[in-house]
Amino acid sequence: MFNRILRLLFAFLISILIFYLPLNIFFDAIKCDEFYHSNYVWLLSSDQLSEVDFIDITYIESWDCILAVSKSNNIYCKSDFSEEWEKLSFKKSSEIKKVLLDPKGLVAAIDDTLSLYVKDNLTGEWNKILLPNLQQTSNFDIFLVNKNLICINSNEIWICDTSNYHLINFPNHNHLKVLCLQLLEPENQLLAGTKGNGLWTIDLLNDSQEKNLSIPENTEIETIFISSNEYNASLLSDSYGYIYRSKDNGVSWERLNQIGPKIKVYSFCEDPTTLEVFFAFTNLGIFLTYNSGEDWIPMQNGIENIPVLAGFYHPVYICFYVATLGKGIRKSFEVPNPPKPLLPKDGDEVFSFKPGLAWQLFGGRDLPGLYHVVVSSNKDFQPIAFEKSNIIGDFIIIPENTLKLHTYYYWKVRVGTPYWTSEWSETSCFILRQKWIMTPNQPSCQWNEKRLLFDEEGRLSPFITQRTFYIPLRAFMESQNALVFWNEKKREATVLFKEKKVIFSADSNFLLVEDKQKLLIDSNPDVKTIIKYNRIFVPIRTLSNLYGWTLEWDSKINAAIIIEPNP
């Protein structure tokens, strides 16, 4: 029995290791989703292009333009000063079979007659380049690296600077699948990835080759990326999807994990503004690493599960462009932080029955987005007092009678598009209060954003006499939902408001509170209630003292201002 219990316990621990640890690894990996590059939205660069399948794209700084190659080998370009894409013309008598783009400022094309043409500026002509006398044509391939044409045929490597060819014998009889120059002075070393014989370094000056022992001998190299920043890493991928990383510009390499099962990497791109940030363009979309290949996260928002073959960072537009199979040319738009609440400011007192909420637009008025606002009296936003979605613009007015006076409210906002929804903004708090602005001899007052008319005939206007400001008692107090009763026999008005009973007698300088506390209406014993137009008027200061209101006099507008205190 004891042994059975031990076996069950051991099986339980093994199940924990099998299931729990992979989950931990998974959740640790997705922690980097907090990295801001994961908030990119990949937008169509132009509705003008009818083709949706593109296999290569780059930016040629000396030409001031982007060049893209479609799957049908059409070449499109867009200058920095235009939003329109133009198709580059080619010889009408032949058809392009392969296009090579070099960001250093050269474009090469091979036509259906296996003739090679190059173009070294945007407006110039295509110049025909004679190919070397190749021994075999079945394994013939050509690469364009740093404005050098590199022709590969079996064990022959021909280097051409568009005028002369230089032959380098490569005795290992392995087809060179990927080539890129190591970007170190004097830029004379060529990294050669083979189809099954690892990685080689070829010295172009000395015609020597050396096998890189840090890459396994039978590795089939898929792509090599050498960083242009000496402080950044370089990356390499093999046919099994494993990533190799070099921190010494391709001299030595260490193998990292796969990005994911069945993921094939076509090319890499680095973020020149941030060290250790790379993009991998794969058969299942774009993946991002923020730590030089240790962890990768899939890019979402319009680009997931779509083959992406190439991409680059545009230093003028400050964004990334990618070539996709199926979704055309896409450019990145970095989703900024959530919208920022502007008004009311956090902790503001709002004197309005229909408060307005304003926020900062996430990308200016030229970028579409629908906003979502929630308001609650609790910080956890349960329950919701007001909610509105699909708001266009940066402002909304909450309808009257939606929110209560003397209550603190919390609000936040987020923005969404067809591709994504931002995080909620920071929470801002406000409280609704009341304020009255009363001007002598005016039959109404300003009550928050409303106008309060004291009577329909317009006779009951506040007035000043003996340096005392009087207001009509019933008209004002009933506007605050107070109960006011007039006893004609006793000639006194009873006010029930805020759980307090106050009695004002006509032409008296006293008032009675809760039937027991008799108080002077004003510190000046000569100040008393006044009957006018068969209505009782009381000093405004008396009411402010009774109910704890703040009373101010604004000499600029010649008006008395009553402000409710915080609850």
Side-chain angles (χ1 to χ4, degrees):
M1 182 68 178
F2 180 74
N3 290 336
R4 184 179 179 184
I5 294 175
L6 284 180
R7 285 196 299 270
L8 289 174
L9 180 61
F10 180 76
F12 175 75
L13 292 175
I14 291 298
S15 66
I16 292 292
L17 290 174
I18 292 174
F19 293 104
Y20 178 75
L21 285 182
L23 283 177
N24 269 350
I25 294 172
F26 172 75
F27 285 116
D28 285 341
I30 65 173
K31 286 179 182 178
C32 58
D33 190 49
E34 300 173 359
F35 193 71
Y36 73 95
H37 282 85
S38 63
N39 292 331
Y40 271 141
V41 176
W42 297 90
L43 304 174
L44 188 65
S45 66
S46 175
D47 294 324
Q48 172 197 1
L49 294 174
S50 58
E51 296 193 67
V52 295
D53 293 322
F54 286 84
I55 59 175
D56 200 3
I57 189 168
T58 194
Y59 175 68
I60 299 182
E61 185 175 1
S62 59
W63 294 18
D64 293 325
C65 75
I66 304 170
L67 280 95
V69 182
S70 70
K71 189 177 180 181
S72 57
N73 288 314
N74 289 317
I75 308 172
Y76 296 90
C77 66
K78 186 180 82 66
S79 70
D80 290 344
F81 309 102
S82 173
E83 292 300 321
E84 301 296 325
W85 289 85
E86 297 180 0
K87 187 176 178 181
L88 284 185
S89 61
F90 192 66
K91 293 169 64 265
K92 293 183 180 180
S93 60
S94 61
E95 180 183 352
I96 297 179
K97 291 299 183 181
K98 184 175 182 179
V99 178
L100 302 170
L101 301 180
D102 184 358
K104 294 293 184 178
L106 195 65
V107 178
I110 301 174
D111 67 6
D112 49 6
T113 65
L114 294 183
S115 297
L116 177 63
Y117 295 86
V118 297
K119 188 179 181 68
D120 59 6
N121 65 82
L122 187 60
T123 59
E125 298 294 330
W126 289 93
N127 298 315
K128 186 174 182 179
I129 303 295
L130 295 176
L131 291 172
N133 184 19
L134 302 173
Q135 295 179 3
Q136 299 179 21
T137 58
S138 58
N139 292 327
F140 167 76
D141 206 350
I142 188 166
F143 299 88
L144 181 57
V145 182
N146 272 34
K147 300 186 77 171
N148 285 298
L149 291 165
I150 304 173
C151 300
I152 306 295
N153 185 36
S154 185
N155 64 331
E156 295 178 334
I157 302 176
W158 296 86
I159 310 296
C160 176
D161 59 4
T162 71
S163 59
N164 297 308
Y165 280 98
H166 174 65
L167 174 62
I168 298 178
N169 288 316
F170 193 71
N172 291 273
H173 302 284
N174 287 283
H175 181 63
L176 304 182
K177 188 164 186 173
V178 178
L179 297 174
C180 74
L181 279 177
Q182 188 169 336
L183 299 177
L184 287 178
E185 295 295 338
E187 293 192 1
N188 63 337
Q189 294 187 22
L190 185 71
L191 283 184
T194 68
K195 196 172 181 179
N197 198 20
L199 182 69
W200 290 76
T201 301
I202 303 174
D203 193 312
L204 302 180
L205 294 181
N206 301 319
D207 290 356
S208 61
Q209 306 93 31
E210 182 179 357
K211 191 169 186 177
N212 195 305
L213 299 180
S214 57
I215 300 291
E217 183 175 351
N218 60 349
T219 302
E220 184 173 338
I221 308 297
E222 288 287 343
T223 183
I224 306 172
F225 176 82
I226 301 298
S227 173
S228 60
N229 188 332
E230 62 177 313
Y231 299 103
N232 215 359
S234 297
L235 299 176
L236 177 153
S237 68
D238 65 16
S239 58
Y240 293 101
Y242 285 100
I243 305 297
Y244 293 78
R245 178 177 62 190
S246 173
K247 293 186 176 180
D248 51 14
N249 293 288
V251 176
S252 61
W253 298 82
E254 58 176 327
R255 194 175 88 165
L256 308 177
N257 292 324
Q258 294 174 305
I259 293 179
K262 299 182 180 179
I263 292 179
K264 179 180 179 180
V265 179
Y266 298 116
S267 60
F268 294 102
C269 170
E270 68 182 337
D271 182 348
T273 67
T274 310
L275 288 177
E276 299 188 319
V277 175
F278 292 87
F279 297 93
F281 306 118
T282 79
N283 59 319
L284 292 179
I286 306 174
F287 287 79
L288 164 85
T289 178
Y290 69 101
N291 52 16
S292 296
E294 294 284 351
D295 303 290
W296 295 87
I297 57 173
M299 304 289 285
Q300 302 296 313
N301 303 328
I303 206 72
E304 57 271 21
N305 299 323
I306 297 296
V308 181
L309 273 66
F312 72 93
Y313 175 80
H314 199 297
V316 177
Y317 299 145
I318 313 179
C319 67
F320 291 89
Y321 277 81
V322 296
T324 77
L325 288 178
K327 283 197 173 183
I329 298 172
R330 297 266 157 170
K331 64 179 178 180
S332 67
F333 171 73
E334 183 188 344
V335 181
N337 293 327
K340 182 180 179 181
L342 296 180
L343 294 173
K345 294 181 179 179
D346 192 35
D348 266 2
E349 301 169 348
V350 178
F351 300 100
S352 175
F353 300 107
K354 297 183 291 184
L357 306 179
W359 52 88
Q360 187 177 42
L361 292 177
F362 78 97
R365 297 189 179 275
D366 296 330
L367 293 173
L370 297 177
Y371 294 84
H372 183 188
V373 169
V374 289
V375 181
S376 175
S377 57
N378 295 309
K379 290 183 178 180
D380 59 1
F381 289 89
Q382 292 295 331
I384 299 295
F386 173 78
E387 183 172 12
K388 182 71 173 177
S389 58
N390 297 325
I391 305 170
I392 299 175
D394 56 356
F395 184 77
I396 189 174
I397 294 178
I398 300 177
E400 188 175 354
N401 300 323
T402 302
L403 305 182
K404 298 178 181 179
L405 292 170
H406 324 302
T407 303
Y408 280 99
Y409 285 98
Y410 302 88
W411 73 283
K412 58 186 179 180
V413 58
R414 65 183 180 185
V415 62
T417 75
Y419 295 102
W420 51 268
T421 300
S422 76
E423 298 294 331
W424 285 106
S425 69
E426 59 187 20
T427 299
S428 190
C429 177
F430 66 91
I431 183 172
L432 294 186
R433 293 174 57 193
Q434 298 181 95
K435 177 170 66 175
W436 301 268
I437 302 176
M438 302 187 189
T439 305
N441 305 317
Q442 294 294 326
S444 64
C445 71
Q446 181 74 33
W447 180 21
N448 286 351
E449 73 272 24
K450 293 183 177 181
R451 295 295 297 180
L452 172 62
L453 188 66
F454 292 121
D455 72 323
E456 294 181 358
E457 293 81 14
R459 296 179 302 172
L460 301 182
S461 300
F463 59 87
I464 295 177
T465 182
Q466 297 180 356
R467 303 182 65 182
T468 301
F469 196 112
Y470 283 87
I471 62 173
L473 178 65
R474 179 186 291 274
F476 178 70
M477 293 305 298
E478 285 187 344
S479 70
Q480 309 311 308
N481 296 319
L483 297 177
V484 181
F485 305 96
W486 174 253
N487 188 322
E488 181 63 32
K489 185 177 180 180
K490 293 183 178 181
R491 291 184 59 76
E492 62 184 25
T494 300
V495 179
L496 302 177
F497 182 59
K498 289 189 175 181
E499 301 180 354
K500 183 181 292 186
K501 176 182 176 183
V502 182
I503 300 174
F504 296 88
S505 298
D507 299 317
S508 171
N509 59 352
F510 286 97
L511 56 86
L512 187 63
V513 180
E514 303 295 346
D515 295 327
K516 58 184 178 181
Q517 188 176 7
K518 192 174 183 181
L519 301 174
L520 274 172
I521 284 180
D522 192 86
S523 59
N524 183 355
D526 295 329
V527 175
K528 58 183 181 179
T529 58
I530 295 177
I531 300 295
K532 187 177 181 180
Y533 300 115
N534 203 28
R535 300 288 190 273
I536 185 170
F537 285 73
V538 299
I540 193 173
R541 185 175 298 279
T542 300
L543 294 178
S544 66
N545 290 338
L546 273 172
Y547 302 113
W549 296 333
T550 300
L551 178 63
E552 301 173 354
W553 177 259
D554 192 330
S555 59
K556 292 182 180 179
I557 60 174
N558 193 35
I561 301 176
I562 295 178
I563 302 176
E564 274 192 316
N566 286 328

